[in-house]
């Protein structure tokens, strides 16, 4: 978030970008050619003043995990070439001026989708029907699950978009149409409709109250269970508890690129604190590179900060060898060693998660803490670190 203005055309030639977040600025203009952004995985352009249509070159970003262009002024149709983004997990398009239909949009890997607040029309495809009605709200006329059936939608060339809702309940009974056969509802029929709505409202209230009570109960159970787990860790846990790990699935949906293997986050010592999707939504800052991979500082949406190392592709290292090696690393305990918090393994991605150390690395203290306003590490402290090690 900031006060950046102007165009982003100068960024279009950066061919090594993997994460770009420009949300909450005043950037404008149309999107440039994205051909050189093929390595992009996370792209955040929300809450700005971009306009024009999405470029067709966006379909070339085949490594993209999350695309957020919400709260801008994009126009035109949502390109069906987005269907080629087989790794896309989140697509946020809300509060723009997109028009046309989404009937041919079919991205089976999506776990987060929102197209509300646009000028879209027509039927909602089956691949998107798993998302809540709020993801399609405030459009011209969309129909189909989870919204009302398209049977209640009729063609009308005199209205914007050419379609209107034919459900008599949503029409004003005080307006008399020009055709003699169409008469306002009689008081008796209106009363029946009101009674029917009242029963539906009662059912909705009962279901809503039950859902709220269930949510409160789950929160209490989670709170006390987490509190008990912390007590066990802070007290005197057994050796078995120290090396025990807990495995959580990265998502409830199977990733389309791997039908035989799903990515998992494996946590050491304790309960789950976040999931893979939380890391995808986190804002990332590169800390440095090495021969083994790239390290990032990731700030989660709940405010927690972790360090994530993205490993380079290791030749000849299978899943079993990788997990055995992580088991050994996860059991290492030393005063001057940051313990491994969790790891993630998939065919195309390997991540190591550590607690973030705000004071930098030991190498920086020994060799980089120089210059105006900085105090170099004295020899007494250096000798102490050497002896402890």
């Amino acid at each position: 978030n900031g006060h950046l203005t102007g165009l982003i055309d100068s960024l279009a030639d950066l061919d090594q970008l993997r994460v770009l977040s420009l949300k909450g600025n005043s950037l404008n203009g149309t999107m440039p050619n994205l051909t050189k952004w093929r390595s992009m995985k996370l792209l955040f352009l929300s809450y700005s003043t971009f306009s024009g249509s999405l470029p067709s070159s966006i379909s070339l970003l085949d490594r993209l995990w999350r695309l957020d262009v919400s709260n801008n002024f994009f126009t035109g149709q949502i390109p069906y070439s987005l269907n080629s983004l087989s790794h896309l997990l989140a697509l946020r398009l809300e509060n723009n001026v997109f028009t046309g239909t989404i009937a041919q949009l079919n991205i089976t890997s999506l776990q987060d989708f929102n197209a509300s607040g646009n000028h879209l029309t027509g039927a909602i495809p089956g691949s998107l029907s798993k998302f809540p009605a709020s993801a399609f709200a405030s459009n011209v006329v969309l129909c189909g699950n989870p919204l009302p059936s398209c049977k209640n939608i009729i063609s009308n060339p005199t209205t914007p978009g050419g379609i209107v809702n034919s459900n008599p309940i949503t029409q004003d009974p005080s307006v008399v149409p020009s055709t003699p056969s169409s008469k306002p509802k009689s008081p008796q029929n209106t009363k029946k409709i009101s009674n029917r709505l009242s029963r539906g409202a009662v059912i909705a209230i009962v279901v809503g109250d039950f859902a709220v009570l269930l949510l409160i109960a789950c929160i209490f159970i989670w709170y006390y269970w987490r509190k008990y787990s912390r007590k066990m860790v802070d007290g005197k846990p057994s050796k078995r508890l120290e090396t025990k790990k807990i495995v959580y699935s990265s998502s409830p949906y199977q990733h389309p690129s791997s039908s035989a293997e799903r990515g998992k986050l494996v946590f050491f010592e304790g309960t789950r604190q976040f999931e893979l999707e939380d890391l995808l939504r986190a804002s990332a800052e590169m800390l440095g590179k090495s021969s083994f991979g790239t390290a990032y500082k990731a700030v989660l949406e709940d405010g927690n900060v972790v360090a994530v190392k993205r490993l380079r592709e290791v030749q000849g290292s299978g899943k079993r060898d990788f997990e055995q090696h992580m088991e050994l690393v996860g059991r290492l305990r030393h005063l001057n060693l940051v313990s491994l918090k969790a790891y993630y393994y998939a065919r195309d991605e390997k991540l190591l998660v550590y607690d973030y150390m705000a004071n930098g690395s030991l190498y920086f203290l020994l060799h980089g803490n120089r210059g105006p306003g900085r105090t170099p590490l004295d020899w007494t402290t250096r000798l102490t670190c050497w002896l402890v090690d």
Side-chain angles (χ1 to χ4, degrees):
N1 297 339
H3 303 284
L4 299 176
T5 59
L7 308 176
I8 64 169
D9 294 358
S10 59
L11 302 178
D13 292 330
L14 303 179
D15 56 1
Q16 295 300 316
L17 281 178
R18 286 179 171 81
V19 178
L20 179 61
S21 178
L22 298 174
K23 57 186 178 181
N25 286 284
S26 299
L27 299 167
N28 54 30
T30 59
M31 292 289 291
N33 190 324
L34 308 181
T35 304
K36 294 187 178 181
W37 285 6
R38 292 174 179 263
S39 299
M40 187 72 68
K41 291 195 173 184
L42 305 175
L43 182 57
F44 302 92
L45 301 175
S46 58
Y47 292 96
S48 205
T49 57
F50 291 108
S51 59
S53 60
L54 292 179
S56 58
S57 57
I58 201 170
S59 63
L60 300 177
L61 311 185
D62 52 3
R63 298 184 181 181
L64 200 61
W65 287 349
R66 183 176 179 86
L67 175 62
D68 189 346
V69 296
S70 61
N71 297 281
N72 280 283
F73 297 96
F74 286 110
T75 58
Q77 293 191 352
I78 299 173
Y80 297 138
S81 58
L82 291 174
N83 293 338
S84 62
L85 304 181
S86 59
H87 292 79
L88 195 63
L89 299 177
L91 179 60
R92 304 299 297 266
L93 306 169
E94 67 266 26
N95 298 325
N96 280 284
V97 202
F98 288 116
T99 57
T101 69
I102 57 174
Q104 298 181 20
L105 202 59
N106 182 23
I107 309 175
T108 56
S109 60
L110 279 181
Q111 300 177 18
D112 184 11
F113 175 80
N114 196 327
S116 61
N118 284 283
H119 296 171
L120 301 172
T121 60
I124 298 173
S127 60
L128 300 179
S129 61
K130 62 187 177 183
F131 297 103
S134 59
F136 308 95
S138 301
N139 277 286
V140 176
V141 178
L142 284 176
C143 61
N145 191 29
L147 298 181
S149 171
C150 292
K151 294 180 180 179
N152 294 330
I153 306 299
I154 61 176
S155 176
N156 188 344
T158 65
T159 61
I163 51 178
V164 296
N165 193 337
S166 65
N167 192 343
I169 296 178
T170 61
Q171 297 175 354
D172 188 353
S174 64
V175 179
V176 180
S178 59
T179 57
S181 59
S182 301
K183 298 181 180 180
K185 297 290 181 180
S186 65
Q188 184 177 2
N189 291 338
T190 304
K191 185 175 180 181
K192 290 181 180 179
I193 294 174
S194 300
N195 291 338
R196 194 177 306 135
L197 289 176
S198 299
R199 287 194 295 270
V202 171
I203 294 175
I205 291 173
V206 172
V207 173
D209 290 343
F210 177 79
V212 171
L213 291 176
L214 182 61
L215 178 62
I216 293 175
C218 291
I219 291 175
F220 272 104
I221 293 173
W222 173 82
Y223 173 79
Y224 285 106
W225 177 71
R226 186 174 181 182
K227 188 175 180 181
Y228 174 77
S229 299
R230 285 181 176 176
K231 287 182 178 180
M232 291 296 294
V233 174
D234 294 337
K236 295 181 178 179
S238 64
K239 240 185 209 181
R240 185 176 180 183
L241 180 61
E242 287 183 2
T243 59
K244 186 176 181 181
K245 66 179 182 180
I246 303 176
V247 179
Y248 298 93
S249 174
S250 63
S251 65
Y253 307 101
Q254 188 154 340
H255 201 286
S257 65
S258 178
S259 59
E261 177 184 74
R262 297 171 57 189
K264 295 178 180 179
L265 271 177
V266 181
F267 289 83
F268 293 92
E269 287 192 1
T271 59
R272 174 187 61 180
Q273 298 180 9
F274 52 85
E275 295 185 358
L276 178 61
E277 288 75 15
D278 298 318
L279 286 179
L280 298 183
R281 288 192 292 264
S283 59
E285 173 188 351
M286 190 176 73
L287 299 177
K289 292 184 177 180
S290 69
S291 58
F292 293 100
T294 306
Y296 298 89
K297 172 187 174 183
V299 182
L300 304 178
E301 291 184 345
D302 61 2
N304 289 327
V305 183
V306 295
V308 181
K309 171 164 279 192
R310 182 172 180 264
L311 298 180
R312 298 182 185 274
E313 188 64 30
V314 180
Q315 298 294 335
S317 177
K319 178 180 179 182
R320 188 176 186 86
D321 294 336
F322 181 85
E323 290 180 342
Q324 289 177 351
H325 186 67
M326 290 301 102
E327 291 284 348
L328 296 176
V329 175
R331 288 198 294 265
L332 294 177
R333 297 292 181 272
H334 192 275
L335 179 63
N336 295 335
L337 181 66
V338 181
S339 300
L340 180 63
K341 190 182 190 73
Y343 69 85
Y344 171 80
Y345 179 90
R347 186 178 61 181
D348 300 326
E349 198 71 69
K350 298 170 184 64
L351 305 175
L352 305 182
V353 182
Y354 297 88
D355 288 323
Y356 175 69
M357 298 296 156
N359 292 329
S361 65
L362 178 60
Y363 179 87
F364 176 78
L365 289 176
L366 293 176
H367 305 287
N369 198 17
R370 300 174 182 176
R374 298 180 179 178
T375 304
L377 201 64
D378 58 85
W379 283 105
T380 303
T381 306
R382 292 171 184 255
L383 182 59
T384 302
C385 293
W386 177 266
L387 292 176
V388 171
D389 186 54

